[in-house]
Amino acid sequence: MELAYVCDWEKRPKSTHCPSIPLVSSWSCRNLVAFTTDLKNDDDDTKDVSHMIHIIDTEHPWDVFSINSGHSEVISCLEWDQSGSRLLSADGDGRIQCWSMSEHLVNSWESALSSSVDGDPIVALSWLHNGVKLALHVEMSGSTNFGEKFSRVKFSPSLTLFGGKPMEGWLAVTVSGLVTVSLLKPGGALLTASESLCRLRGRVALADIAFTGGGNIVVAATDGSSSSPVQFYKVVVSVVSEKCRIDTELLPSLFLRCTTDPLRRDKYPAVTHLKFLTRENSEQVLLCASNQSGSIVECWSLRKEGLPVNNIFQHRSPVVGEKQPTILKWRILTTTGDLERVSAVALPKLPISISNTDLKVASDTKFCPGLGLALAFHDGSIQILHRLSLHTMGVFYGAAQRPGDDAAIKRPRTTGPALHFKALQFSWTSLALAGVDGHGKLHMLRVSPSMGQVLDMNTTLRHLLFLLEYCMVTGYDWWDVLLHVQPSMVHNLVEKLHEEYMRQNQALQQVLATRIVAVKASLCKLSTATAARACDFHAKLLLIAISSTLKSLLRPHVLNTPDKSPGDRLTEICAKNTDTDIDKVMINLKTEEFVLDGPPLQSLQQLIQWVGDFVLYLLANLPNQGSAVRPGFGFMRDGASLGMLREMLVMIRIWGLLKPGCLPTFTAMSDNQDSMQLLFRLLTKLWLCSRDDGPPQEPDESLIDECCLLPSQLLVPSMDWLPVNDGIIVKLQGKLPLRLQFGKASSLQGVGGSSPLDVFTRSPGAQKMDNLRCIHMGVSPTEESKACTRCGCVTMLRSPNKTNAMKQWEQRWIKNCLCGGLWRRMPPTFT
């Protein structure tokens, strides 16, 4: 493991609040990290404490959104939902709050719903399961089928609505042994109920929640004493007559092994950590018992065993079909030796299959993600242990002294405890760890896919490719995978990812069509050699979106039409007709399908203008595509994209006859220049060189000569198609950690060498672009805007448009960017 970055709190004056002890943290599948602190006033006259929740996206860790949670007691639990867009927080007074994004912005949150069990502290919290479970098979990593690598496991939701739709809600366990459930009804109201875990309620110091494939919930609980049993309960939630009902049942319990060992009977008196190994596996549990200076960790498994029969019944003739009676019993899998005192535990979220075959392949190929759990110790170190055998896989020393370091002898021994992690969380692919220490600093650590073992390049690429494919299929953010991609790997990863994608069936390719382009764009930004290709992938995302939007405006002339839509017929006719004259292609189309009212066309003019400018830019730069790869190079051999541009020029030509105001504007050098006709003719010639139904050809000399003349016929625009990404991922290629400050984006400047995208940065006096609406916002826009956390795409927060057509375009991107990234609010810029 190695450090990726450290975020410090900004130094503040003594009279104001400063962070003290962080309590819990949680990492969502969209790479949002939430953690808590208590903010205390230094003034002796006040005892006020604000219980704060801080939310960051890992790409912009300095942009922290701090919420004064309103909790009256210490926050004990934080839990993200499966979509990564809602957060639960619970406190020591029994209050649970549900936070959701305001206007779908990652740095703007509001509390939408809440429930409470008055005065009963919450010790465990979880969202109800939605029934979606994937298994990742390392054994099938060489398969060409995504369905074999990542299989859907049959799993029932915790509670279903009519038609089998999962019902949303959350479940919590209190310190007095109460289980409380809150169900979110379709109308938005909450349905709550509480029930005792068992008839004899007792103190619950620690608890955890897991789910079974049959839709049941399993709760593990302990009173905190290692000499007491760890109890397990089955919880069944149902809705009867519009009321929530909770049924509980006692399951087999266990006693810690260390309490039955004569040498350790009284050595570890307290149970400090209790965790199910995964939330979908209630049959494996991790327990940690501690004293003031050390800890021991045990891993237990629930197994079905035969029940021995008394000798009296041994000689009885067996009944046909009768089986030996069985019983469920907890058996210890493995235990560690005496360890330093454990301060935090992080469990992997990657759903790796732990069948014997998969474990063997993972061991042979040194594929470690999902196999290790992390323990943070009071000496500041972190160890990653195998989740089943508990043997050490990796160590991070942090502030702890490395073994064999002679400096420890000369250094005076410090008084007081070493700085250590109070909270620790794995990312969703287990390739990164987020830790919060006792001073409120957030640490991000890289975790090698091979846990530091030396691999050949092909094996390393295969591991990263496997995890990128997993992120594509699930829709999870792949930021933590990019932490391990070196610039020299980018080209091979992009090519191999494309090869694997092309092997999937047509339906899956359509589902993943834009997601793979976004992954390629993220990869290409990591290397100077491929940075220009990142421009092309962003342009392709916008091109696909504009094409589908413009085609959706087409309507069949009569209702009883054949199966093909007008857009499909347009594609088919343009693919067959190779004529370079746009008017001859237009004759073959049913122009009545293109008849639209004026306002929609006029409001979409800036998108139409972008298409025209883009075609002109591509053609004018065709002669410049030499040894140095420039933006636009990726389109020169992309027959599908060139065909898409060709279709749109035909559509725009027809609409221009109905509404001339919607046509793209070109600055021509002569009055009689038919710009659309010229661009279509040259574009068709380029398209014919790279069609899918024939071998690719080099553009002939005449085409290149005509493109050379284009700048003398039309004014070529400077295409500002690439959003400026101010994120941190391109700065993390080096081995040295970055040190940042919360609230200070400027702390990133000049760190980690030059960015691969410096050649595409904008000058201070350049026009700012609204990358979604394709309009200029001026040099110093005063409008509030939002930016994508992944690609940096900027767009205005409030719509300046009143027409329905443009509002529909904007509504497509209200939750996510073109690339699928989340939005964050940007402050207005004043002159």
Side-chain angles (χ1 to χ4, degrees):
M1 286 187 291
E2 61 184 42
L3 210 58
Y5 59 69
V6 182
C7 282
D8 290 333
W9 286 96
E10 184 181 352
K11 300 294 184 289
R12 295 185 173 96
K14 272 192 172 182
S15 59
T16 61
H17 294 80
C18 62
S20 62
I21 303 173
L23 302 162
V24 285
S25 67
S26 190
W27 193 328
S28 82
C29 63
R30 307 301 299 273
N31 277 319
L32 301 177
V33 174
F35 62 100
T36 65
T37 56
D38 291 343
L39 294 190
K40 300 179 182 179
N41 199 305
D42 289 343
D43 189 353
D44 294 333
D45 297 334
T46 178
K47 301 291 185 182
D48 290 343
V49 177
S50 300
H51 303 289
M52 307 293 291
I53 299 173
H54 311 283
I55 299 173
I56 64 158
D57 75 276
T58 52
E59 179 71 339
H60 305 86
W62 58 85
D63 187 11
V64 62
F65 184 75
S66 298
I67 308 166
N68 192 335
S69 65
H71 284 291
S72 58
E73 294 292 335
V74 170
I75 298 169
S76 55
C77 304
L78 285 178
E79 282 292 321
W80 290 100
D81 71 345
Q82 281 293 91
S83 67
S85 58
R86 287 181 300 182
L87 179 70
L88 289 178
S89 63
D91 67 13
D93 194 37
R95 182 174 176 81
I96 303 169
Q97 294 199 153
C98 178
W99 303 89
S100 58
M101 290 185 196
S102 172
E103 298 180 293
H104 308 287
L105 300 169
V106 298
N107 53 358
S108 183
W109 293 78
E110 59 187 5
S111 179
L113 300 161
S114 66
S115 65
S116 66
V117 187
D118 291 338
D120 207 351
I122 305 294
V123 293
L125 180 67
S126 175
W127 290 89
L128 295 181
H129 204 284
N130 61 3
V132 177
K133 183 187 176 186
L134 277 181
L136 184 143
H137 301 281
V138 184
E139 179 195 2
M140 305 302 295
S141 59
S143 171
T144 58
N145 187 353
F146 285 175
E148 292 177 353
K149 296 179 183 181
F150 321 109
S151 65
R152 179 78 177 264
V153 178
K154 190 176 181 181
F155 209 87
S156 298
S158 302
L159 190 62
T160 53
L161 295 165
F162 179 77
K165 182 183 178 183
M167 191 169 190
E168 293 184 314
W170 58 82
L171 174 137
V173 180
T174 71
V175 76
S176 69
L178 205 64
V179 59
T180 175
V181 174
S182 299
L183 303 177
L184 186 58
K185 296 172 73 174
L190 271 183
L191 199 61
T192 59
S194 299
E195 186 64 57
S196 176
L197 278 172
C198 60
R199 289 181 183 178
L200 295 175
R201 285 172 65 181
R203 179 175 180 269
V204 176
L206 295 171
D208 199 20
I209 300 165
F211 302 91
T212 68
N216 297 326
I217 302 162
V218 177
V219 173
T222 174
D223 63 4
S225 171
S226 60
S227 58
S228 301
V230 179
Q231 301 278 9
F232 295 85
Y233 306 91
K234 182 172 83 170
V235 179
V236 181
V237 181
S238 56
V239 176
V240 180
S241 303
E242 293 295 312
K243 292 185 178 179
C244 180
R245 176 177 169 179
I246 303 170
D247 295 298
T248 62
E249 178 186 331
L250 192 61
L251 296 176
S253 58
L254 65 87
F255 281 92
L256 269 76
R257 169 64 64 85
C258 63
T259 60
T260 60
D261 183 350
L263 298 176
R264 293 193 176 104
R265 179 169 296 167
D266 302 316
K267 188 173 182 181
Y268 299 108
V271 179
T272 52
H273 297 89
L274 165 62
K275 299 275 188 183
F276 286 106
L277 280 181
T278 64
R279 65 193 295 268
E280 284 104 0
N281 185 357
S282 61
E283 298 175 357
Q284 288 182 334
V285 68
L286 188 83
L287 293 157
C288 176
S290 305
N291 57 26
Q292 289 298 319
S293 59
S295 297
I296 189 169
V297 175
E298 298 178 1
C299 186
W300 289 74
S301 177
L302 186 65
R303 295 179 181 177
K304 191 178 286 187
E305 295 185 357
L307 194 64
V309 180
N310 193 285
N311 291 335
I312 297 174
F313 303 103
Q314 291 291 351
H315 305 293
R316 184 173 62 88
S317 56
V319 180
V320 177
E322 185 180 358
K323 295 181 180 178
Q324 182 186 10
T326 58
I327 187 171
L328 289 172
K329 197 168 184 179
W330 286 99
R331 290 288 185 189
I332 190 161
L333 276 178
T334 184
T335 180
T336 65
D338 296 332
L339 303 169
E340 178 72 25
R341 190 178 176 196
V342 174
S343 61
V345 177
L347 295 172
K349 300 182 177 76
L350 194 69
I352 186 169
S353 170
I354 53 171
S355 67
N356 290 333
T357 314
D358 281 300
L359 288 175
K360 185 179 184 307
V361 173
S363 175
D364 293 344
T365 59
K366 299 182 176 65
F367 182 83
C368 298
L371 287 177
L373 57 93
L375 302 179
F377 297 99
H378 274 256
D379 65 356
S381 66
I382 296 175
Q383 284 189 31
I384 294 186
L385 309 181
H386 194 282
R387 56 187 282 185
L388 297 179
S389 65
L390 296 185
H391 72 258
T392 304
M393 301 171 71
V395 180
F396 172 74
Y397 291 100
Q401 194 64 44
R402 287 172 170 77
D405 192 344
D406 296 333
I409 302 169
K410 302 173 186 175
R411 191 180 300 136
R413 191 175 179 84
T414 56
T415 57
L419 192 65
H420 60 272
F421 292 99
K422 297 274 190 176
L424 203 61
Q425 280 282 324
F426 264 114
S427 67
W428 280 64
T429 61
S430 302
L431 292 186
L433 270 171
V436 190
D437 66 23
H439 286 180
K441 293 180 184 176
L442 176 72
H443 300 251
M444 187 68 62
L445 299 120
R446 276 188 276 243
V447 182
S448 165
S450 62
M451 216 55 71
Q453 301 174 83
V454 179
L455 299 180
D456 62 271
M457 183 59 77
N458 285 336
T459 308
T460 303
L461 288 175
R462 191 162 68 244
H463 290 174
L464 294 174
L465 182 67
F466 191 37
L467 293 169
L468 284 173
E469 291 167 352
Y470 169 72
C471 292
M472 276 207 316
V473 170
T474 57
Y476 296 159
D477 198 283
W478 52 89
W479 180 89
D480 43 340
V481 183
L482 299 182
L483 280 176
H484 301 272
V485 177
Q486 294 301 314
S488 58
M489 303 177 185
V490 170
H491 178 75
N492 288 334
L493 266 179
V494 171
E495 295 304 314
K496 288 179 183 295
L497 193 64
H498 184 74
E499 288 173 15
E500 293 297 320
Y501 168 78
M502 294 305 293
R503 289 172 179 163
Q504 309 310 308
N505 60 54
Q506 198 64 35
L508 186 57
Q509 283 189 26
Q510 287 185 359
V511 171
L512 304 178
T514 53
R515 209 171 284 169
I516 189 174
V517 178
V519 175
K520 289 177 180 178
S522 300
L523 287 168
C524 287
K525 284 185 176 180
L526 302 178
S527 168
T528 50
T530 55
R533 295 184 66 186
C535 309
D536 296 347
F537 289 127
H538 280 291
K540 190 168 183 175
L541 285 170
L542 186 56
L543 178 61
I544 292 170
I546 293 175
S547 174
S548 60
T549 299
L550 296 185
K551 284 183 180 178
S552 69
L553 297 175
L554 306 179
R555 294 289 181 268
H557 184 56
V558 288
L559 292 178
N560 56 343
T561 55
D563 295 338
K564 290 183 180 176
S565 66
D568 292 336
R569 281 199 296 278
L570 171 67
T571 301
E572 187 178 334
I573 290 170
C574 287
K576 288 180 180 177
N577 194 327
T578 59
D579 206 304
T580 57
D581 190 331
I582 191 170
D583 295 323
K584 290 181 180 177
V585 177
M586 193 173 65
I587 290 170
N588 298 315
L589 296 167
K590 296 180 180 178
T591 51
E592 59 269 17
E593 294 178 344
F594 292 79
V595 175
L596 300 175
D597 296 332
L601 288 175
Q602 191 63 48
S603 63
L604 294 172
Q605 199 276 334
Q606 64 254 38
L607 302 183
I608 293 172
Q609 181 70 46
W610 184 88
V611 173
D613 287 346
F614 187 64
V615 172
L616 176 55
Y617 176 90
L618 282 184
L619 294 170
N621 279 278
L622 177 62
N624 300 329
Q625 299 297 345
S627 56
V629 176
R630 297 164 59 93
F633 177 79
F635 284 89
M636 300 307 175
R637 297 184 183 278
D638 187 353
S641 297
L642 294 174
M644 207 182 295
L645 286 167
R646 195 167 171 266
E647 294 163 21
M648 283 193 280
L649 286 183
V650 173
M651 272 194 292
I652 293 166
R653 181 73 161 190
I654 297 173
W655 286 337
L657 299 175
L658 307 171
K659 183 75 176 177
C662 77
L663 286 170
T665 304
F666 299 103
T667 305
M669 302 306 173
S670 61
D671 295 336
N672 58 354
Q673 175 69 61
D674 188 343
S675 305
M676 290 284 286
Q677 180 74 263
L678 173 64
L679 293 179
F680 185 83
R681 180 167 58 81
L682 297 178
L683 181 63
T684 302
K685 287 184 178 181
L686 181 59
W687 169 68
L688 289 172
C689 297
S690 55
R691 290 179 70 189
D692 295 335
D693 54 358
Q697 303 170 9
E698 289 295 324
D700 57 21
E701 291 296 327
S702 61
L703 173 59
I704 292 176
D705 289 343
E706 287 188 88
C707 289
C708 285
L709 293 174
L710 260 183
S712 63
Q713 297 168 297
L714 298 170
L715 184 64
V716 180
S718 60
M719 285 301 293
D720 191 8
W721 64 39
L722 181 69
V724 180
N725 187 5
D726 60 345
I728 201 171
I729 194 70
V730 294
K731 301 283 188 180
L732 294 175
Q733 302 299 318
K735 297 296 182 183
L736 294 176
L738 303 183
R739 186 168 290 277
L740 311 168
Q741 281 189 346
F742 285 124
K744 285 191 174 181
S746 59
S747 61
L748 180 66
Q749 299 301 320
V751 181
S754 61
S755 165
L757 296 178
D758 280 347
V759 289
F760 303 113
T761 53
R762 313 285 175 251
S763 62
Q767 287 265 359
K768 304 295 188 298
M769 277 287 294
D770 185 319
N771 300 107
L772 277 186
R773 296 182 178 90
C774 301
I775 55 177
H776 291 283
M777 297 192 295
V779 176
S780 300
T782 55
E783 286 290 325
E784 268 199 313
S785 58
K786 57 185 180 182
C788 174
T789 58
R790 181 184 291 156
C791 70
C793 176
V794 175
T795 187
M796 283 182 281
L797 198 57
R798 310 276 175 250
S799 172
N801 302 290
K802 304 299 181 187
T803 58
N804 288 334
M806 202 59 199
K807 282 182 180 177
Q808 288 170 6
W809 166 260
E810 291 164 356
Q811 281 296 117
R812 295 183 64 176
W813 320 114
I814 200 76
K815 289 185 179 179
N816 301 103
C817 173
L818 281 163
C819 69
L822 296 169
W823 296 112
R824 64 189 185 105
R825 185 193 298 269
M826 301 291 288
T829 305
F830 298 94
T831 52

